[in-house]
mmCIF file of all heavy atoms in Angstrom:
data_model
loop_
_atom_site.group_PDB
_atom_site.id
_atom_site.type_symbol
_atom_site.label_atom_id
_atom_site.label_comp_id
_atom_site.label_asym_id
_atom_site.label_seq_id
_atom_site.Cartn_x
_atom_site.Cartn_y
_atom_site.Cartn_z
ATOM 1 N N PHE A 75 -22.446 -12.012 22.971
ATOM 2 C CA PHE A 75 -21.774 -11.406 24.127
ATOM 3 C C PHE A 75 -20.683 -12.319 24.695
ATOM 4 O O PHE A 75 -19.654 -11.834 25.172
ATOM 5 C CB PHE A 75 -22.784 -10.977 25.193
ATOM 6 C CG PHE A 75 -23.442 -9.666 24.831
ATOM 7 C CD1 PHE A 75 -24.767 -9.607 24.429
ATOM 8 C CD2 PHE A 75 -22.708 -8.484 24.851
ATOM 9 C CE1 PHE A 75 -25.354 -8.393 24.057
ATOM 10 C CE2 PHE A 75 -23.277 -7.264 24.485
ATOM 11 C CZ PHE A 75 -24.602 -7.229 24.083
ATOM 12 N N GLU A 76 -20.906 -13.627 24.601
ATOM 13 C CA GLU A 76 -19.846 -14.556 25.043
ATOM 14 C C GLU A 76 -18.611 -14.421 24.158
ATOM 15 O O GLU A 76 -17.484 -14.404 24.650
ATOM 16 C CB GLU A 76 -20.358 -16.004 25.009
ATOM 17 C CG GLU A 76 -21.203 -16.355 26.224
ATOM 18 C CD GLU A 76 -21.957 -17.676 26.063
ATOM 19 O OE1 GLU A 76 -21.789 -18.361 25.021
ATOM 20 O OE2 GLU A 76 -22.741 -17.991 26.974
ATOM 21 N N LEU A 78 -17.746 -11.835 22.515
ATOM 22 C CA LEU A 78 -17.123 -10.541 22.789
ATOM 23 C C LEU A 78 -16.244 -10.609 24.039
ATOM 24 O O LEU A 78 -15.099 -10.151 24.033
ATOM 25 C CB LEU A 78 -18.207 -9.468 22.951
ATOM 26 C CG LEU A 78 -17.711 -8.094 23.378
ATOM 27 C CD1 LEU A 78 -16.918 -7.443 22.249
ATOM 28 C CD2 LEU A 78 -18.877 -7.193 23.776
ATOM 29 N N THR A 79 -16.778 -11.222 25.094
ATOM 30 C CA THR A 79 -15.983 -11.283 26.334
ATOM 31 C C THR A 79 -14.740 -12.145 26.143
ATOM 32 O O THR A 79 -13.663 -11.766 26.594
ATOM 33 C CB THR A 79 -16.788 -11.836 27.547
ATOM 34 O OG1 THR A 79 -17.774 -12.729 27.081
ATOM 35 C CG2 THR A 79 -17.452 -10.763 28.342
ATOM 36 N N SER A 80 -14.870 -13.260 25.426
ATOM 37 C CA SER A 80 -13.669 -14.083 25.281
ATOM 38 C C SER A 80 -12.672 -13.389 24.351
ATOM 39 O O SER A 80 -11.462 -13.467 24.566
ATOM 40 C CB SER A 80 -13.989 -15.512 24.846
ATOM 41 O OG SER A 80 -14.407 -15.534 23.526
ATOM 42 N N PHE A 81 -13.164 -12.673 23.354
ATOM 43 C CA PHE A 81 -12.272 -11.909 22.466
ATOM 44 C C PHE A 81 -11.463 -10.899 23.288
ATOM 45 O O PHE A 81 -10.239 -10.820 23.174
ATOM 46 C CB PHE A 81 -13.101 -11.181 21.396
ATOM 47 C CG PHE A 81 -12.303 -10.250 20.522
ATOM 48 C CD1 PHE A 81 -11.594 -10.734 19.433
ATOM 49 C CD2 PHE A 81 -12.271 -8.880 20.771
ATOM 50 C CE1 PHE A 81 -10.860 -9.876 18.610
ATOM 51 C CE2 PHE A 81 -11.540 -8.014 19.964
ATOM 52 C CZ PHE A 81 -10.836 -8.510 18.882
ATOM 53 N N LEU A 82 -12.152 -10.151 24.130
ATOM 54 C CA LEU A 82 -11.460 -9.107 24.901
ATOM 55 C C LEU A 82 -10.484 -9.704 25.908
ATOM 56 O O LEU A 82 -9.374 -9.207 26.080
ATOM 57 C CB LEU A 82 -12.474 -8.215 25.620
ATOM 58 C CG LEU A 82 -13.294 -7.316 24.696
ATOM 59 C CD1 LEU A 82 -14.413 -6.642 25.467
ATOM 60 C CD2 LEU A 82 -12.415 -6.267 24.018
ATOM 61 N N THR A 83 -10.899 -10.784 26.547
ATOM 62 C CA THR A 83 -10.028 -11.420 27.527
ATOM 63 C C THR A 83 -8.758 -11.918 26.852
ATOM 64 O O THR A 83 -7.658 -11.699 27.342
ATOM 65 C CB THR A 83 -10.765 -12.592 28.217
ATOM 66 O OG1 THR A 83 -12.042 -12.104 28.639
ATOM 67 C CG2 THR A 83 -10.016 -13.115 29.411
ATOM 68 N N LYS A 84 -8.945 -12.557 25.692
ATOM 69 C CA LYS A 84 -7.779 -13.090 24.963
ATOM 70 C C LYS A 84 -6.904 -11.986 24.393
ATOM 71 O O LYS A 84 -5.692 -12.104 24.336
ATOM 72 C CB LYS A 84 -8.256 -13.966 23.794
ATOM 73 C CG LYS A 84 -8.481 -15.410 24.169
ATOM 74 C CD LYS A 84 -8.618 -16.243 22.882
ATOM 75 C CE LYS A 84 -9.842 -17.105 22.924
ATOM 76 N NZ LYS A 84 -10.455 -17.387 21.650
ATOM 77 N N GLU A 86 -6.586 -8.703 25.295
ATOM 78 C CA GLU A 86 -6.171 -7.549 26.104
ATOM 79 C C GLU A 86 -4.668 -7.262 25.986
ATOM 80 O O GLU A 86 -4.246 -6.134 25.714
ATOM 81 C CB GLU A 86 -6.558 -7.780 27.568
ATOM 82 C CG GLU A 86 -6.135 -6.631 28.455
ATOM 83 C CD GLU A 86 -6.035 -7.030 29.918
ATOM 84 O OE1 GLU A 86 -6.989 -7.651 30.421
ATOM 85 O OE2 GLU A 86 -4.996 -6.727 30.535
ATOM 86 N N LEU A 96 -8.982 0.855 23.683
ATOM 87 C CA LEU A 96 -10.361 0.400 23.455
ATOM 88 C C LEU A 96 -11.358 1.438 23.960
ATOM 89 O O LEU A 96 -11.200 1.989 25.049
ATOM 90 C CB LEU A 96 -10.610 -0.927 24.175
ATOM 91 C CG LEU A 96 -12.021 -1.482 23.970
ATOM 92 C CD1 LEU A 96 -12.146 -2.147 22.608
ATOM 93 C CD2 LEU A 96 -12.415 -2.455 25.069
ATOM 94 N N VAL A 98 -15.837 2.236 23.909
ATOM 95 C CA VAL A 98 -17.157 1.699 23.568
ATOM 96 C C VAL A 98 -18.052 2.855 23.147
ATOM 97 O O VAL A 98 -18.088 3.889 23.815
ATOM 98 C CB VAL A 98 -17.778 0.962 24.775
ATOM 99 C CG1 VAL A 98 -19.229 0.593 24.494
ATOM 100 C CG2 VAL A 98 -16.979 -0.298 25.096
ATOM 101 N N LEU A 102 -23.134 1.460 28.240
ATOM 102 C CA LEU A 102 -22.576 0.294 28.941
ATOM 103 C C LEU A 102 -23.548 -0.299 29.952
ATOM 104 O O LEU A 102 -23.617 -1.519 30.133
ATOM 105 C CB LEU A 102 -21.317 0.718 29.703
ATOM 106 C CG LEU A 102 -19.970 0.607 29.008
ATOM 107 C CD1 LEU A 102 -18.871 1.134 29.913
ATOM 108 C CD2 LEU A 102 -19.679 -0.834 28.639
ATOM 109 N N PRO A 106 -24.977 -6.863 29.825
ATOM 110 C CA PRO A 106 -24.854 -7.833 30.914
ATOM 111 C C PRO A 106 -23.629 -7.519 31.791
ATOM 112 O O PRO A 106 -22.609 -7.047 31.284
ATOM 113 C CB PRO A 106 -24.661 -9.169 30.194
ATOM 114 C CG PRO A 106 -25.150 -8.951 28.797
ATOM 115 C CD PRO A 106 -24.991 -7.499 28.496
ATOM 116 N N LEU A 107 -23.760 -7.781 33.086
ATOM 117 C CA LEU A 107 -22.728 -7.403 34.068
ATOM 118 C C LEU A 107 -21.318 -7.886 33.702
ATOM 119 O O LEU A 107 -20.375 -7.095 33.733
ATOM 120 C CB LEU A 107 -23.118 -7.921 35.462
ATOM 121 C CG LEU A 107 -22.141 -7.580 36.578
ATOM 122 C CD1 LEU A 107 -22.102 -6.077 36.846
ATOM 123 C CD2 LEU A 107 -22.496 -8.336 37.860
ATOM 124 N N THR A 108 -21.204 -9.163 33.331
ATOM 125 C CA THR A 108 -19.856 -9.688 33.039
ATOM 126 C C THR A 108 -19.233 -8.976 31.832
ATOM 127 O O THR A 108 -18.045 -8.672 31.836
ATOM 128 C CB THR A 108 -19.880 -11.209 32.749
ATOM 129 O OG1 THR A 108 -20.960 -11.469 31.862
ATOM 130 C CG2 THR A 108 -20.035 -12.033 34.001
ATOM 131 N N VAL A 109 -20.067 -8.682 30.842
ATOM 132 C CA VAL A 109 -19.575 -7.991 29.646
ATOM 133 C C VAL A 109 -19.087 -6.595 30.027
ATOM 134 O O VAL A 109 -18.007 -6.146 29.625
ATOM 135 C CB VAL A 109 -20.706 -7.859 28.592
ATOM 136 C CG1 VAL A 109 -20.190 -7.193 27.331
ATOM 137 C CG2 VAL A 109 -21.298 -9.211 28.264
ATOM 138 N N ARG A 110 -19.906 -5.947 30.851
ATOM 139 C CA ARG A 110 -19.578 -4.596 31.322
ATOM 140 C C ARG A 110 -18.232 -4.590 32.045
ATOM 141 O O ARG A 110 -17.387 -3.742 31.829
ATOM 142 C CB ARG A 110 -20.679 -4.173 32.288
ATOM 143 C CG ARG A 110 -20.972 -2.714 32.274
ATOM 144 C CD ARG A 110 -22.374 -2.480 32.735
ATOM 145 N NE ARG A 110 -22.569 -2.842 34.140
ATOM 146 C CZ ARG A 110 -23.745 -3.226 34.648
ATOM 147 N NH1 ARG A 110 -24.794 -3.321 33.875
ATOM 148 N NH2 ARG A 110 -23.855 -3.525 35.918
ATOM 149 N N GLN A 111 -18.066 -5.596 32.897
ATOM 150 C CA GLN A 111 -16.829 -5.677 33.686
ATOM 151 C C GLN A 111 -15.614 -5.853 32.791
ATOM 152 O O GLN A 111 -14.607 -5.174 32.952
ATOM 153 C CB GLN A 111 -16.914 -6.823 34.690
ATOM 154 C CG GLN A 111 -17.740 -6.459 35.906
ATOM 155 C CD GLN A 111 -18.049 -7.670 36.783
ATOM 156 O OE1 GLN A 111 -17.985 -8.812 36.321
ATOM 157 N NE2 GLN A 111 -18.399 -7.423 38.036
ATOM 158 N N VAL A 112 -15.717 -6.765 31.824
ATOM 159 C CA VAL A 112 -14.582 -7.019 30.924
ATOM 160 C C VAL A 112 -14.286 -5.775 30.081
ATOM 161 O O VAL A 112 -13.127 -5.400 29.884
ATOM 162 C CB VAL A 112 -14.848 -8.240 30.008
ATOM 163 C CG1 VAL A 112 -13.719 -8.451 29.020
ATOM 164 C CG2 VAL A 112 -15.048 -9.488 30.832
ATOM 165 N N LEU A 113 -15.339 -5.133 29.609
ATOM 166 C CA LEU A 113 -15.141 -3.923 28.795
ATOM 167 C C LEU A 113 -14.433 -2.842 29.612
ATOM 168 O O LEU A 113 -13.467 -2.238 29.155
ATOM 169 C CB LEU A 113 -16.488 -3.396 28.296
ATOM 170 C CG LEU A 113 -17.117 -4.171 27.133
ATOM 171 C CD1 LEU A 113 -18.575 -3.777 26.964
ATOM 172 C CD2 LEU A 113 -16.359 -3.916 25.839
ATOM 173 N N LYS A 114 -14.940 -2.627 30.827
ATOM 174 C CA LYS A 114 -14.348 -1.581 31.680
ATOM 175 C C LYS A 114 -12.891 -1.900 31.981
ATOM 176 O O LYS A 114 -12.028 -1.027 31.946
ATOM 177 C CB LYS A 114 -15.146 -1.433 32.982
ATOM 178 C CG LYS A 114 -16.415 -0.633 32.786
ATOM 179 C CD LYS A 114 -17.081 -0.318 34.112
ATOM 180 C CE LYS A 114 -18.331 0.525 33.881
ATOM 181 N NZ LYS A 114 -19.238 0.532 35.018
ATOM 182 N N HIS A 115 -12.628 -3.164 32.252
ATOM 183 C CA HIS A 115 -11.273 -3.605 32.563
ATOM 184 C C HIS A 115 -10.345 -3.331 31.370
ATOM 185 O O HIS A 115 -9.272 -2.741 31.530
ATOM 186 C CB HIS A 115 -11.293 -5.098 32.920
ATOM 187 C CG HIS A 115 -9.939 -5.690 33.098
ATOM 188 N ND1 HIS A 115 -9.225 -5.549 34.262
ATOM 189 C CD2 HIS A 115 -9.162 -6.394 32.240
ATOM 190 C CE1 HIS A 115 -8.053 -6.153 34.107
ATOM 191 N NE2 HIS A 115 -7.991 -6.673 32.901
ATOM 192 N N THR A 116 -10.776 -3.767 30.178
ATOM 193 C CA THR A 116 -9.919 -3.599 28.991
ATOM 194 C C THR A 116 -9.736 -2.111 28.656
ATOM 195 O O THR A 116 -8.651 -1.693 28.260
ATOM 196 C CB THR A 116 -10.510 -4.352 27.773
ATOM 197 O OG1 THR A 116 -10.958 -5.634 28.209
ATOM 198 C CG2 THR A 116 -9.489 -4.521 26.671
ATOM 199 N N MET A 117 -10.781 -1.329 28.849
ATOM 200 C CA MET A 117 -10.648 0.113 28.572
ATOM 201 C C MET A 117 -9.643 0.745 29.529
ATOM 202 O O MET A 117 -8.834 1.573 29.128
ATOM 203 C CB MET A 117 -12.009 0.801 28.692
ATOM 204 C CG MET A 117 -12.894 0.545 27.490
ATOM 205 S SD MET A 117 -14.325 1.632 27.409
ATOM 206 C CE MET A 117 -15.380 0.891 28.633
ATOM 207 N N ARG A 118 -9.704 0.312 30.778
ATOM 208 C CA ARG A 118 -8.781 0.864 31.786
ATOM 209 C C ARG A 118 -7.336 0.481 31.439
ATOM 210 O O ARG A 118 -6.442 1.299 31.452
ATOM 211 C CB ARG A 118 -9.170 0.338 33.167
ATOM 212 C CG ARG A 118 -8.688 1.220 34.301
ATOM 213 C CD ARG A 118 -9.265 0.848 35.658
ATOM 214 N NE ARG A 118 -9.291 -0.588 35.892
ATOM 215 C CZ ARG A 118 -10.395 -1.289 36.130
ATOM 216 N NH1 ARG A 118 -11.560 -0.678 36.171
ATOM 217 N NH2 ARG A 118 -10.339 -2.584 36.349
ATOM 218 N N LYS A 119 -7.160 -0.791 31.104
ATOM 219 C CA LYS A 119 -5.808 -1.289 30.800
ATOM 220 C C LYS A 119 -5.188 -0.621 29.575
ATOM 221 O O LYS A 119 -3.970 -0.557 29.441
ATOM 222 C CB LYS A 119 -5.843 -2.811 30.553
ATOM 223 C CG LYS A 119 -6.073 -3.609 31.806
ATOM 224 C CD LYS A 119 -4.776 -3.765 32.571
ATOM 225 C CE LYS A 119 -5.008 -4.525 33.871
ATOM 226 N NZ LYS A 119 -3.864 -4.495 34.761
#
Side-chain angles (χ1 to χ4, degrees):
F75 281 108
E76 280 168 3
L78 174 70
T79 29
S80 71
F81 174 82
L82 290 171
T83 311
K84 272 194 230 150
E86 179 201 311
L96 181 78
V98 171
L102 269 177
L107 181 67
T108 45
V109 182
R110 213 155 66 207
Q111 281 169 339
V112 176
L113 284 166
K114 281 189 178 162
H115 173 81
T116 317
M117 283 194 283
R118 203 170 43 240
K119 288 279 178 191

